[in-house]
Amino acid sequence: MAKGRLEAFSDGVIAIIITIMVLELKVPHGDNLAALQPLIPVLLSYLLSFIYVGIYWNNHHHLLHASSKVSGTALWANLHLLFWLSLVPFATGWMGENHWGPLPVALYGFILLMAGLAYYLLARVLVNQHGPDSSLAKALGRDVKGLISIIAYLLAIALAFVHVALALALYLAVAAMWLLPDRRIERQLP
């Protein structure tokens, strides 16, 4: 099957996810900087989530650009990824509204973990579909960065109950690692 419909649907869902997140931001009551003070955790949670959703959108674009076609299995794997990404606004809101409490931070990490696993699964489905000698397979290789992310999320989930700041630092570290587009794919494309 052609990949255009999957790309268009995914772009639409991701745009809606970002829209939902920004609509959850409440306008402060007051016209001075002090009125923004209670919103700092909410705004920082939004910023982190916006970066994460942007990273997924960017890398999803690269992944599909390197793919020539999609299968029914790829459609389901993509839908699986979109499901977990669609939960990001909920976790973002809960984490921000509760000033980074341990359980909301752990749930946020669980959703990031599941989205990471879903992206990894989608990439593997596409590699299997295109073959081990495809440009996509060569570009992704063993996907060490993806595996490091999974391990970091697992560690951060546990740390959320011990030291929330360390869990948040791990989420930031993973985001920093992925902030730039995946150059492995760009190098393999003509």
Side-chain angles (χ1 to χ4, degrees):
M1 290 181 272
K3 61 184 180 174
R5 191 158 182 233
L6 181 136
E7 287 176 301
F9 178 73
S10 299
D11 286 349
V13 170
I14 290 171
I16 290 169
I17 289 168
I18 289 173
T19 302
I20 290 169
M21 286 191 318
V22 78
L23 290 175
E24 288 295 316
L25 297 177
K26 303 300 178 215
V27 177
H29 298 288
D31 62 355
N32 55 32
L33 289 176
L36 290 174
Q37 181 84 23
L39 296 178
I40 289 174
V42 173
L43 293 171
L44 291 176
S45 296
Y46 168 77
L47 177 62
L48 180 62
S49 293
F50 184 90
I51 290 169
Y52 261 108
V53 172
I55 288 166
Y56 274 104
W57 175 76
N58 197 320
N59 286 302
H60 186 269
H61 167 75
H62 280 80
L63 184 67
L64 289 176
H65 187 70
S67 302
S68 59
K69 60 188 179 220
V70 294
S71 64
T73 305
L75 294 176
W76 282 109
N78 190 70
L79 205 54
H80 179 236
L81 170 62
L82 294 176
F83 169 77
W84 291 107
L85 291 178
S86 74
L87 293 174
V88 169
F90 170 77
T92 301
W94 196 34
M95 188 170 68
E97 288 293 326
N98 290 289
H99 299 247
W100 305 305
L103 187 57
V105 170
L107 176 70
Y108 187 79
F110 176 74
I111 290 170
L112 293 178
L113 170 68
M114 296 308 294
L117 288 170
Y119 183 86
Y120 183 82
L121 177 67
L122 174 61
R124 293 297 128 210
V125 165
L126 291 171
V127 165
N128 288 341
Q129 177 184 328
H130 287 80
D133 295 325
S134 67
S135 296
L136 182 61
K138 290 174 187 169
L140 292 178
R142 294 183 332 191
D143 196 16
V144 174
K145 216 160 72 162
L147 295 174
I148 289 170
S149 301
I150 301 297
I151 292 166
Y153 293 143
L154 288 168
L155 184 58
I157 292 166
L159 279 173
F161 297 104
V162 178
H163 199 285
V164 169
L166 291 177
L168 291 169
L170 273 175
Y171 300 151
L172 285 170
V174 172
M177 182 174 68
W178 284 101
L179 205 50
L180 295 176
D182 199 333
R183 301 283 183 229
R184 297 172 297 172
I185 292 174
E186 287 181 353
R187 283 192 295 266
Q188 289 294 323
L189 296 174

